[in-house]
Amino acid sequence: MEEHAVIVNFDYGSTDLGALFEVETRLEEAIAAADVGDYDGNEIAVDGSDGTLFMYGPDADALFAAVRETLLKSACLSNVRVSLQYGPVDDDDVRRTEFALKE
């Protein structure tokens, strides 16, 4: 099975991660309901200024479709930028699509 990725970079602006953890729960639920992959976790700056979310599955487009609305409706995330990777993340030759999802 080929591994694709959806990597989401965002601005957060707080050291209180409660709202982010709620978003992660909704992402996990959406991915499981659509059966399109796995939510792998986050990296968040120590000062809470920004972060990254990591999701993996066999089809980056299907995975993004499953989480798109959750990301759009998450008020705690701003300046959301998405990278869809159509192959292993450590392969520099895979096709990537990057775009801004919301300000």
Side-chain angles (χ1 to χ4, degrees):
M1 175 173 76
E2 187 171 12
E3 183 176 270
H4 291 192
V6 175
I7 310 236
V8 178
N9 294 290
F10 58 92
D11 291 343
Y12 190 66
S14 176
T15 56
D16 178 356
L17 301 181
L20 178 62
F21 294 152
E22 290 176 21
V23 171
E24 289 182 311
T25 297
R26 291 194 304 271
L27 291 171
E28 289 172 335
E29 291 169 350
I31 292 168
D35 193 25
V36 291
D38 295 300
Y39 176 76
D40 192 45
N42 71 61
E43 289 182 4
I44 187 91
V46 173
D47 66 358
S49 60
D50 58 30
T52 306
L53 305 172
F54 302 92
M55 294 157 266
Y56 302 97
D59 183 334
D61 293 318
L63 184 54
F64 176 66
V67 300
R68 182 179 182 277
E69 286 304 311
T70 299
L71 294 169
L72 284 170
K73 292 178 180 177
S74 298
C76 66
L77 307 181
S78 63
N79 195 24
V80 177
R81 296 147 335 265
V82 177
S83 175
L84 305 180
Q85 300 184 44
Y86 300 91
V89 294
D90 57 355
D91 184 345
D92 292 334
D93 295 326
V94 299
R95 181 171 62 100
R96 289 177 172 79
T97 301
E98 297 180 3
F99 55 92
L101 183 62
K102 73 175 188 174
E103 295 290 321

